[in-house]
């Protein structure tokens, strides 16, 4: 199993690798990492690979083969996320600095810090994070102004369950994005009754994600419980990417 000393991301040494130093399959790597990182999944490893943070060798048939150095790199990445809550951009810069022979210092963890969302390339890195407690909810007037929509439009969307307020009349900050997108789709002639199918699909996907992370929320390890939300966000990102790819594929098929 993975043998790593306690401490920060820069202090650990990772797994000794596969038997005899041979290359390892992704399943073997997962088993090695899970001793220290019980929340890690194959999807997580593949995601980090897709972001260019680790580059395992590929066999002629396309199978991934990880070296000891690859597993050490993965362990370092996971420690930086767990212990310092660093976003992928900062982790990548830190790894590049190490490769240049530098000894970069990791930022100290501030009280109340939380894991950064794993954003896909091209996502709006400057957007306000819904994790911030000061902007977690918006009022009705603020929603209308931020999304630049009318009261009648918002009331129509609410009647179809596309947007909902809480008991205090406030809205999740994501409602601003939802309202903007609904307005854009409306300009193409798509009415709220047409869009209910999208809401139903989103709820089913959210339920699937919750099934995956629910065991993490109940785990006896407090670090694992703390990473449940980060795992949910990663799964949501992957789900959105898959949905977009499937829609594009369906559109191409319909055009031929």
């Amino acid at each position: 199993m993975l043998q790593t000393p306690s401490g920060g991301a820069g202090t650990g040494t990772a797994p000794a690798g596969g038997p005899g130093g041979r290359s390892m399959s992704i399943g073997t790597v997962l088993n090695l990492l899970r001793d220290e990182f019980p929340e890690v999944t194959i999807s997580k490893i593949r995601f980090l690979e897709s972001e260019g943070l680790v580059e395992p060798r590929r066999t002629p048939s396309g199978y991934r083969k990880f070296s000891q150095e690859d597993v050490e790199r993965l362990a370092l990445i996971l420690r930086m996320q767990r212990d310092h809550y660093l976003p992928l951009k900062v982790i990548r810069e830190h790894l590049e600095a190490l490769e240049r022979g530098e000894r970069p210092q990791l930022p100290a963890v501030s009280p109340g810090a939380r894991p950064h969302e794993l954003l896909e390339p091209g996502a709006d890195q400057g957007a306000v994070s819904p994790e911030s407690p000061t902007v977690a909810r918006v009022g009705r007037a603020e929603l209308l102004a931020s999304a630049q929509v009318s009261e009648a439009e918002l009331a129509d969307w609410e009647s179809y369950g596309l947007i909902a307020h809480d008991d205090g009349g406030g809205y999740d900050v994501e409602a601003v994005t939802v309202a903007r997108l609904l307005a854009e789709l409306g300009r193409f002639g798509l009415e709220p009754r047409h869009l209910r199918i999208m809401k139903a699909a989103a709820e089913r996907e959210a339920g699937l994600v919750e099934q995956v992370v629910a065991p993490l929320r109940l785990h006896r390890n407090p670090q694992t419980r703390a990473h449940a939300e980060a795992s949910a966000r990663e799964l949501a990102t992957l789900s959105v990417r898959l949905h977009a790819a499937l829609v594009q594929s369906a559109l191409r098929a319909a055009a031929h």
Side-chain angles (χ1 to χ4, degrees):
M1 300 298 289
L2 180 63
Q3 299 296 323
T4 54
S6 60
T11 62
T13 59
R22 295 194 299 270
S23 57
M24 294 165 276
S25 69
I26 193 169
T28 301
V29 172
L30 180 66
N31 289 333
L32 289 170
L33 291 170
R34 271 190 166 167
D35 189 40
E36 183 181 353
F37 309 101
E39 75 283 356
V40 73
T41 62
I42 285 180
S43 173
K44 172 86 168 186
I45 296 172
R46 288 174 176 164
F47 177 77
L48 294 174
E49 179 190 358
S50 72
E51 293 296 318
L53 293 173
V54 63
E55 297 178 356
R57 182 176 62 85
R58 292 275 186 160
T59 66
S61 56
Y63 291 102
R64 296 173 178 84
K65 289 298 179 181
F66 293 81
S67 65
Q68 177 183 340
E69 289 74 20
D70 290 329
V71 185
E72 290 174 350
R73 187 178 178 94
L74 281 168
L76 177 58
I77 292 167
L78 293 170
R79 287 192 200 98
M80 284 192 279
Q81 288 187 321
R82 181 193 64 194
D83 300 339
H84 296 270
Y85 307 120
L86 298 181
L88 296 186
K89 179 181 178 182
V90 176
I91 290 175
R92 184 177 291 107
E93 292 171 350
H94 184 86
L95 293 173
E96 290 172 351
L98 290 175
E99 290 170 354
R100 293 193 298 267
E102 301 174 10
R103 298 180 63 85
Q105 294 296 314
L106 289 168
V109 181
S110 59
R114 301 177 67 180
H116 286 73
E117 181 176 2
L118 297 176
L119 296 173
E120 61 181 310
D124 184 3
Q125 301 276 348
V128 176
S129 169
E131 295 177 357
S132 172
T134 61
V135 294
R137 314 298 292 178
V138 295
R140 192 176 189 86
E142 186 179 359
L143 171 59
L144 293 171
S146 299
Q148 297 183 335
V149 298
S150 68
E151 174 68 40
E153 287 176 312
L154 177 56
D156 199 18
W157 297 332
E158 287 179 321
S159 70
Y160 282 92
L162 297 172
I163 294 180
H165 58 73
D166 58 26
D167 293 339
Y171 298 84
D172 188 285
V173 70
E174 289 295 336
V176 175
T177 300
V178 171
R180 288 173 178 168
L181 293 172
L182 290 173
E184 289 294 327
L185 290 168
R187 294 188 180 97
F188 286 88
L190 292 174
E191 300 177 8
R193 59 188 177 88
H194 301 138
L195 302 176
R196 286 184 298 179
I197 187 174
M198 296 185 181
K199 176 70 180 304
E203 290 174 346
R204 287 195 295 270
E205 291 177 17
L208 183 60
V209 169
E210 184 58 30
Q211 287 181 27
V212 175
V213 301
L216 301 182
R217 301 188 197 279
L218 300 174
H219 201 280
R220 64 178 182 275
N221 187 327
Q223 290 180 331
T224 300
R225 295 196 301 271
H227 278 72
E229 183 177 347
S231 297
R233 292 181 181 279
E234 179 186 345
L235 285 167
T237 296
L238 293 171
S239 176
V240 169
R241 293 169 67 178
L242 174 61
H243 181 84
L246 290 173
V247 170
Q248 291 293 341
S249 178
L251 288 173
R252 283 194 295 269
H256 291 85

